[in-house]
Amino acid sequence: GDRAIQLTALHHDLSEYDIFGLLAAGGAVIVPDAAARRDPAHWSELMHREGVTIWNTVPAMMEMMLEYADAQPGAIPRSLRLVILGGDWIPVTLPARLGKHAPQAQLLSIGGPTETTIWNIWHPVGPIDPEARSIPYGQPTANNAYHVVTDEGFDAPDFVPGEMVSSGVGVTQGYWGDPEKTAEKYVTWARTGARVY
C-alpha cells in the first residue's frame, strides 16, 4: 500500500530503493513530470492526489519542500508516514521543521556507500537537542557491521578520526569490469577473516 514520490535522479543510488525496493514489495512509485522535477508545488500536488506515504531523497530536497510548506501550510499531506534522508548530512534544524508540517511522519537518517548496497547504516531521528552539532550517522542495519579504524587497523577511540570498514551481507561483489579496483577496495580483513569494503 505504500506510495513513494520518485524525486531522486535515476543515476543516484538512492533511486534504487524507490524503483526496486518499493516495487518489489508491491508499492507504487509516483513520478513527477520531467518539466516540474524541481518544483515543490508540483510535488505537493502529486503527493496529495496520489496519497504518497514515503519520501526518500537527499536532505536538500526535503529542505526545498519545507521552504515551500512554510509559505503554503498543508503542502505536505497527512498520508506521508516515512521520510528517509541520506547522501548528505541532515541539518539539525530539519527534524523540528518537518515535525511542524508532518508530525505523523517518522524520519530516518540512512547511509552507506554504493559499495555496500546503499543503505547499511541507519538512525531513527527523534527530537534533537537544540545544542546538538549533528544528527548521528547511525548504527549498522541487520547483518552488517562497521568499524572505524586507525591507519594501523586498530579500532579508533571515540572522537578520533579513522577509516570506515564495512562488512556483512550488504558488501557488494565489486566494481563491474574493474578487477583491479575491486581487489584494492574489497579485501579480506585479517582481523576477522571477513570480506570487507
Side-chain angles (χ1 to χ4, degrees), residues 7-98:
L7 297 175
T8 301
L10 295 178
H11 68 274
H12 191 281
D13 60 10
L14 280 178
S15 71
E16 299 297 313
Y17 172 78
D18 297 343
I19 298 166
F20 299 109
L22 199 63
L23 292 178
V29 178
I30 310 305
V31 181
D33 294 335
R37 189 174 82 74
R38 294 255 188 206
D39 180 2
H42 177 59
W43 306 343
S44 177
E45 188 271 325
L46 276 178
M47 290 170 68
H48 280 278
R49 186 178 75 210
E50 300 294 338
V52 166
T53 60
I54 296 178
W55 175 289
N56 172 46
T57 67
V58 294
M61 299 290 277
M62 177 49 76
E63 287 191 285
M64 289 172 63
M65 185 70 223
L66 292 173
E67 187 173 310
Y68 177 74
D70 285 343
Q72 297 290 327
I76 298 175
R78 300 281 308 160
S79 60
L80 187 66
R81 69 171 189 83
L82 183 61
V83 174
I84 305 167
L85 300 178
D88 204 350
W89 292 102
I90 299 172
V92 295
T93 57
L94 190 146
R97 290 179 68 207
L98 177 63

